[in-house]
Amino acid sequence: MSDIVKEPVNKKQKTDEYVLYYWPGTPGRGEYVRLAFEYAGVPYTEMSDPSKLLATITDPAKSGHPPHFAPPALKLPSGRFLSQTPAILNHIAPKLGLAGKKEGDEAEEERSLVNQLVLTALDLCNEVGGKTHDVHHPIAVEDYYEDQKEAALARAKSYRKSRLPKFLKHFQAVLSSNPEGKKSGGTYLIGSSTTIADLVLFHVRAIRTL
Amino acid sequence: MSDIVKEPVNKKQKTDEYVLYYWPGTPGRGEYVRLAFEYAGVPYTEMSDPSKLLATITDPAKSGHPPHFAPPALKLPSGRFLSQTPAILNHIAPKLGLAGKKEGDEAEEERSLVNQLVLTALDLCNEVGGKTHDVHHPIAVEDYYEDQKEAALARAKSYRKSRLPKFLKHFQAVLSSNPEGKKSGGTYLIGSSTTIADLVLFHVRAIRTL
């Protein structure tokens, strides 16, 4: 009897919240998702048991269709799982008030421009050491850094000399050409409020101070 | 006088169509955008003058805010420019009928799952030779292939042995677990109609037959 009474409560708990599936103890790409929820003040929980993580998100019997290639994955309030950091961020941005403040027809274009800026900031992250750890693993992501150290040093040199300045120049141009930014202190990449693009660029810069 | 009469017509022509800004004579990442328009039968034109291409999309005085990091960029019917292949594809997919057929609340989640699959297919493309030409330029994208040939051969070996099979296994699992796919021949990654994810994976496979 007590089980029957409790059931609706459990169901509500299961379906009313976001659950982030990501590796324990590492910021990585999961951190971009955490940052969005933390900034917006929206509750979420984490499933970070390494013995179950990959098995859950890559098995359609557990994650539903389609299965996922890699974490982070986010379980949505509907019960569906969504993966790929830019897809997750684009999906939750309007729900968390982080996709700009335009309305009507312009809202969708502003959301897409925020998505564009997120993707470029993540490209910067990927090139130095994000998703495929390019600078530290230029030959093979599955091999040790020590086995490709020489190539890694050469790639790091190219990154510092050529790629990083190019990205920073781009984001400086985005900031300084934002017509609405001037009114609000010049600190927003787009519009006159914090978007997910600002949060992603903040984190990319915070972890890339080399 | 004739100029005055013509003006509204010109304005209409300028704002009613999509214009793809991409390098001439190369499929590259522009091809994913072309493929979407061609499949949907929606008209678009191209601006591919290499002397003006980068200058237009990276200058906020010409492209509007925000400026863009790299082609492809798409001029939308509103006159705004949008760049980053996944952002462009996610933006146009529902307009071209390529974001799934779900309706209501489920439509946005299906669109995000299509976006997820597009991003994973583009990751496969990036790792072998897409955006940053990883396999052929493992050390520095701005240097010649000949100057990093040894590293490139090692990376290609890793790609063939480990990364390509992992991606293909994933997409096979996506196809075979699609509950709606069984009814329609098992050829759709998601739902029971062609989405932008199918077109992107088709093109990734078409160019990656090595």
Side-chain angles (χ1 to χ4, degrees):
Chain A
M1 181 66 194
S2 62
D3 281 340
I4 293 166
V5 173
K6 275 180 185 165
E7 198 184 3
V9 179
N10 286 337
K11 268 196 177 163
K12 198 172 183 315
Q13 284 178 338
K14 275 184 190 164
T15 57
D16 265 9
E17 65 176 17
Y18 292 95
V19 186
L20 176 63
Y21 283 65
Y22 198 65
W23 302 114
T26 173
R29 287 173 82 87
E31 194 74 356
Y32 298 106
V33 183
R34 294 185 189 109
L35 201 51
F37 283 113
E38 297 288 348
Y39 184 88
V42 170
Y44 69 104
T45 56
E46 295 207 28
M47 207 307 283
S48 54
D49 179 344
S51 70
K52 292 181 193 161
L53 181 60
L54 273 184
T56 304
I57 67 169
T58 61
D59 179 357
K62 291 173 183 154
S63 72
H65 174 82
H68 306 273
F69 189 74
L74 184 68
K75 193 175 178 184
L76 305 174
S78 68
R80 281 192 196 86
F81 284 74
L82 178 64
S83 63
Q84 279 286 1
T85 308
I88 294 170
L89 299 179
N90 182 248
H91 188 84
I92 62 177
K95 298 175 203 310
L96 303 183
L98 295 171
K101 301 292 180 199
K102 294 268 196 303
E103 291 182 5
D105 287 347
E106 289 192 308
E108 183 64 12
E109 290 192 358
E110 188 172 41
R111 181 188 179 190
S112 291
L113 289 169
V114 168
N115 191 19
Q116 166 194 309
L117 294 166
V118 164
L119 286 157
T120 303
L122 290 176
D123 281 346
L124 168 58
C125 173
N126 288 344
E127 285 197 24
V128 65
K131 211 169 185 181
T132 49
H133 315 282
D134 284 356
V135 165
H136 294 104
H137 302 257
I139 305 298
V141 64
E142 68 275 17
D143 289 347
Y144 290 113
Y145 165 65
E146 284 69 22
D147 297 335
Q148 45 194 314
K149 208 169 175 178
E150 200 174 328
L153 288 173
R155 177 141 183 163
K157 190 179 168 189
S158 150
Y159 170 78
R160 283 196 305 272
K161 187 180 158 193
S162 154
R163 302 299 290 172
L164 182 61
K166 192 179 172 191
F167 277 98
L168 294 185
K169 193 179 161 194
H170 166 70
F171 282 112
Q172 192 54 56
V174 173
L175 274 173
S176 61
S177 68
N178 180 4
E180 294 171 76
K182 291 193 182 78
K183 287 177 269 174
S184 46
T187 57
Y188 303 114
L189 288 170
I190 192 164
S192 54
S193 63
T194 300
T195 66
I196 191 76
D198 296 305
L199 298 181
V200 169
L201 186 60
F202 160 77
H203 184 57
V204 169
R205 290 300 304 135
I207 56 173
R208 305 298 164 215
T209 48
L210 64 165
Chain B
M1 181 65 191
S2 63
D3 280 342
I4 293 165
V5 172
K6 275 181 187 166
E7 199 185 5
V9 178
N10 285 340
K11 270 197 176 164
K12 198 170 184 313
Q13 283 177 336
K14 274 185 190 165
T15 56
D16 264 9
E17 65 178 14
Y18 291 95
V19 186
L20 175 64
Y21 283 64
Y22 199 65
W23 302 114
T26 173
R29 287 173 83 87
E31 194 74 354
Y32 298 106
V33 183
R34 294 185 190 108
L35 201 52
F37 283 112
E38 296 289 347
Y39 185 87
V42 170
Y44 69 104
T45 56
E46 295 207 27
M47 205 308 280
S48 54
D49 179 344
S51 70
K52 292 181 191 161
L53 182 59
L54 273 185
T56 304
I57 66 168
T58 61
D59 180 358
K62 291 172 184 152
S63 73
H65 173 83
H68 305 272
F69 189 74
L74 184 68
K75 193 175 178 184
L76 305 174
S78 68
R80 280 192 196 85
F81 284 73
L82 178 64
S83 63
Q84 278 284 1
T85 309
I88 294 171
L89 298 180
N90 182 249
H91 188 84
I92 61 177
K95 298 175 204 309
L96 302 183
L98 294 170
K101 300 293 179 198
K102 294 270 194 304
E103 292 181 4
D105 286 347
E106 289 192 309
E108 182 64 12
E109 290 193 359
E110 189 172 42
R111 181 188 180 190
S112 291
L113 288 169
V114 169
N115 190 20
Q116 166 193 311
L117 294 166
V118 163
L119 286 157
T120 303
L122 290 176
D123 281 347
L124 168 58
C125 173
N126 288 345
E127 285 197 23
V128 64
K131 210 166 184 179
T132 48
H133 314 281
D134 284 355
V135 166
H136 294 103
H137 303 257
I139 307 297
V141 64
E142 69 275 16
D143 291 346
Y144 290 111
Y145 165 64
E146 284 71 20
D147 297 336
Q148 46 194 310
K149 208 169 176 178
E150 201 174 327
L153 288 173
R155 177 140 182 159
K157 190 179 167 189
S158 151
Y159 170 78
R160 283 195 306 273
K161 187 180 157 193
S162 154
R163 302 299 290 170
L164 182 60
K166 191 179 173 190
F167 277 99
L168 295 184
K169 193 178 161 194
H170 167 71
F171 282 112
Q172 192 56 53
V174 173
L175 275 174
S176 61
S177 68
N178 180 4
E180 294 172 77
K182 292 193 182 79
K183 288 178 268 175
S184 46
T187 57
Y188 304 114
L189 288 170
I190 191 163
S192 55
S193 64
T194 300
T195 67
I196 192 74
D198 296 304
L199 298 180
V200 169
L201 185 61
F202 161 77
H203 184 58
V204 169
R205 290 300 303 135
I207 57 174
R208 307 293 164 216
T209 47
L210 65 163

